[in-house]
Amino acid sequence: MSIRVRCHCGKLQGELDTSAVAARAKCYCKDCRAFARFLGNEVEILDGAGGTEVAAALPSGLRFTQGLDQLACMSLSPKGLYRWYAACCRTPIGNTPRDPKVSYVGIVRACLDATPAELDAQLGASHINANTESAYRKISKTPGGTALALVKIGSKLLGARFGGGYRNDPFFESGSATPVRQPEVISKEARARLY
């Protein structure tokens, strides 16, 4: 099964294989909020407590089918995550480590073209809460769910690393650590404004 990936204006499209998804999470970290502010779309991306919903997945499960020229990348610091979005309408797509051998992408809910019920049916209804100490209000921790999710994510990462699946990553040039788009690393001053 797959879920359609689509930016808001429809120029960038693709699909996510649901078997590549290890867990669903809401991340309340300041970096995810800064990314939403960078895109100028906090209301649609963040929930009321400042969380971003993501699907933790293997990049090999994501395939872009049109509009790849619209894919853009930024980073909040010279060593920070790569944060991918559609340049055409500034829809967030996902977050990846800088090293493609760490085969992970957090696909942002805002680009998943599915209803909440469809997501629950295909990916499971439960999710973990991460970085709750940075939330705007008290958010319950999910220690059991987090531990299980880490095991699932870890096993997928190890499988991709040792099985070679990490080489099939739409965010990096084939067989290299070179991102398909030159990341915009924002200045310290710009980062301070976003925080």
Side-chain angles (χ1 to χ4, degrees):
M1 297 183 87
S2 64
I3 296 172
R4 192 167 143 191
V5 173
R6 183 182 186 280
C7 72
H8 295 156
C9 73
K11 288 184 180 175
L12 178 63
Q13 294 189 34
E15 56 188 23
L16 175 64
D17 181 346
T18 57
S19 69
V21 177
R24 292 171 73 186
K26 282 199 178 174
C27 182
Y28 294 91
C29 78
K30 294 176 183 178
D31 287 353
C32 283
R33 284 200 297 271
F35 182 43
R37 290 183 189 117
F38 169 84
L39 297 173
N41 201 355
E42 292 174 80
V43 173
E44 186 164 344
I45 298 168
L46 304 177
D47 69 12
T52 301
E53 184 178 343
V54 297
L58 293 173
S60 60
L62 177 64
R63 184 173 70 90
F64 292 109
T65 56
Q66 78 176 48
L68 189 57
D69 60 316
Q70 295 300 320
L71 187 65
C73 182
M74 68 86 71
S75 185
L76 291 166
S77 70
K79 294 184 179 180
L81 293 175
Y82 288 145
R83 295 178 181 271
W84 301 88
Y85 63 98
C88 44
C89 57
R90 301 183 74 77
T91 302
I93 303 299
N95 309 310
T96 64
R98 287 176 170 257
D99 182 354
K101 290 180 181 177
V102 182
S103 191
Y104 171 86
V105 60
I107 303 286
V108 180
R109 166 65 178 105
C111 75
L112 295 176
D113 192 16
T115 66
E118 290 169 336
L119 286 179
D120 287 351
Q122 293 188 50
L123 302 178
S126 65
H127 66 268
I128 62 171
N129 295 326
N131 302 302
T132 55
E133 65 281 352
S134 299
Y136 293 152
R137 58 180 163 76
K138 184 166 177 59
I139 297 294
S140 61
K141 295 186 180 199
T142 54
T146 300
L148 181 60
L150 289 174
V151 169
K152 287 181 181 178
I153 293 167
S155 66
K156 285 192 180 287
L157 291 176
L158 288 172
R161 177 66 179 102
F162 293 112
Y166 72 90
R167 292 185 187 95
N168 185 14
D169 189 324
F171 300 105
F172 293 89
E173 298 289 345
S174 181
S176 79
T178 304
V180 294
R181 296 290 177 270
Q182 179 64 40
E184 173 191 355
V185 179
I186 63 170
S187 67
K188 287 182 182 179
E189 296 77 22
R191 186 168 69 244
R193 287 193 297 273
L194 293 174
Y195 285 124

